[in-house]
Amino acid sequence: MNRFNLSRRRVLQGIGAATALTVFPAFAANREIRIGYVSPQTGPLAAFGEADKWVIASLEKRFNEGVTLEGKKMPIKILLKDSQSSPNRAGEVANDLILQDDIDLMLVSSTPETVNPVSDACELNEVPCISTVAPWQPWFFGRGGKPDTGFEWTYHMFWGLEDVIGNFLNGWNSVQTNKKVGGLFPNDGDGNAWGDPELGFPKPLAAQGYTLTDPGRFQNMNQDFSAQIAAFKQGQVEIVTGVVIPPDAKTFLTQARQQGFNPKVVTLGKALLFPGAIEALGDLGAGLTTEVWWSPWHPFSSSLTGQNAQAVCAAYETQAQRQWTQPIGFAHALFEVAINALSRAKSTEKAAIRDAVAATQLDTIVGPVKWGGQGPFKNVSKTPLVFGQWNPGQKYKYELSIVNNQANPQIPVNGEMKLIG
């Protein structure tokens, strides 16, 4: 796309599309540093972006302090835009931020449907970008990344499919099942990666003696899972896994019970991450398992505020009047890395900011972030992952516990995995 060739209609569409969370300090400055941030605030992926505005507000004091670049103290302006859970919309608002708002740095979070189109827009327009909350394989290979060259402008921090598969297997190996697994893999970036014969679940499951029944891809917002349920029954499936959006998880679990399919283990990525989604399932929520990328028990602290993970979760619950949720940590960490990189940049030139991002070595609230030494490729920095289970709680209807930490023993276990029912 020609960055200067925008139709009048495109420009008008972009006007008013942003929620601008702007922080202007009292000091004068010749220019401001503009950070764009894209995440799903509405639509079926909205739970991923639920805490974003709170995270930005909680860091207002640090934004007010600004950063010093080229000998001048500059205020920081945050421009938050909603992807509306749509890849097309994510790309549109990314271009708005790049071409209209002239941002200095892009941040983007939450699933390949958001991070990939935004990262692509930044790579094309030569804008530094930091992304998170999508396994690195669909972010890297899904964008045509080549291991020998990688990308020039886009950098990612999160775990990979090897980590989620390893954690799921660690959890399943701790309970008694027939090792027959049913896969729910939708036709989207995550589903195609998780179900991929080479990169996804099939090979590692077979290597540990598990049999996978994969009925094939389906579209998100599916209203009828009868075909999948019938295939799982025929395959004598006792474990259901996959990566689905919250509405599809509710539809599947409701129809499974109605059709007499009662697995012993249900471990789903994406859909079972959030307390609101689990609560919406009613009694179907008890015993469900999922990956845990961040929690109050993670032994890390913020480089910006000094708060540990438990303190940040407690602040969120007090101020937002909601149960803590996993994306809080990664939204916070994005701004940790961004401000750290800006503070080290040699100038306001985008290439200088990109070089500072690439050279990051920072302990954050989600763990250490380091590109070029903490991942499979120069553009990927991996973060730790453990395994959790939802059970009826004391303070909230359902509470998430860490039930297996074999992959990352530094994160403590506070529960024991149990079969459903």
Side-chain angles (χ1 to χ4, degrees), residues 128-198:
C129 176
I130 307 167
S131 56
T132 192
V133 187
W136 67 259
Q137 285 94 339
W139 176 84
F140 189 85
F141 293 116
R143 298 175 52 225
K146 298 179 180 179
D148 53 339
T149 56
F151 298 105
E152 187 176 354
W153 293 90
T154 49
Y155 290 81
H156 191 69
M157 49 187 248
F158 210 53
W159 41 265
L161 294 181
E162 71 280 15
D163 303 302
V164 76
I165 294 168
N167 273 279
F168 284 13
L169 285 167
N170 288 341
W172 301 343
N173 287 336
S174 71
V175 292
Q176 283 291 117
T177 70
N178 64 3
K179 291 195 168 187
K180 296 183 184 297
V181 181
L184 291 174
F185 304 123
N187 185 24
D188 63 14
D190 272 333
N192 290 325
W194 289 45
D196 186 272
E198 296 300 320

Side-chain angles (χ1 to χ4, degrees), residues 392-403:
Q394 297 179 340
K395 185 176 180 181
Y396 299 100
K397 182 172 182 178
Y398 291 110
E399 295 177 354
L400 182 64
S401 298
I402 296 173
V403 295

Side-chain angles (χ1 to χ4, degrees), residues 126 128 152-153 347-357:
E126 299 184 350
E152 187 176 354
W153 293 90
S347 76
T348 57
E349 293 294 322
K350 289 183 172 60
I353 295 172
R354 175 207 58 199
D355 292 347
V357 170

Side-chain angles (χ1 to χ4, degrees), residues 31-177:
R31 79 182 288 273
E32 64 196 9
I33 295 293
R34 294 187 167 203
I35 298 177
Y37 184 30
V38 181
S39 68
Q41 301 290 305
T42 58
L45 299 174
F48 281 93
E50 173 187 314
D52 288 343
K53 291 179 182 177
W54 179 86
V55 169
I56 292 170
S58 74
L59 295 173
E60 181 176 348
K61 180 180 178 182
R62 182 61 187 85
F63 296 142
N64 281 341
E65 294 172 2
V67 292
T68 300
L69 280 171
E70 299 173 340
K72 299 172 184 176
K73 202 163 191 182
M74 301 179 183
I76 293 174
K77 180 176 181 178
I78 309 299
L79 291 169
L80 171 64
K81 287 199 176 186
D82 179 12
S83 73
Q84 300 175 4
S85 301
S86 162
N88 290 338
R89 186 61 181 165
E92 288 175 6
V93 297
N95 280 308
D96 288 343
L97 287 166
I98 293 166
L99 303 175
Q100 296 177 22
D101 297 309
D102 193 24
I103 59 168
D104 298 286
L105 174 64
M106 181 78 82
L107 307 179
V108 57
S109 178
S110 303
T111 78
E113 284 65 51
T114 304
V115 301
N116 285 17
V118 174
S119 297
D120 285 343
C122 290
E123 193 73 25
L124 178 66
N125 289 288
E126 299 184 350
V127 173
C129 176
I130 307 167
S131 56
T132 192
V133 187
W136 67 259
Q137 285 94 339
W139 176 84
F140 189 85
F141 293 116
R143 298 175 52 225
K146 298 179 180 179
D148 53 339
T149 56
F151 298 105
E152 187 176 354
W153 293 90
T154 49
Y155 290 81
H156 191 69
M157 49 187 248
F158 210 53
W159 41 265
L161 294 181
E162 71 280 15
D163 303 302
V164 76
I165 294 168
N167 273 279
F168 284 13
L169 285 167
N170 288 341
W172 301 343
N173 287 336
S174 71
V175 292
Q176 283 291 117
T177 70

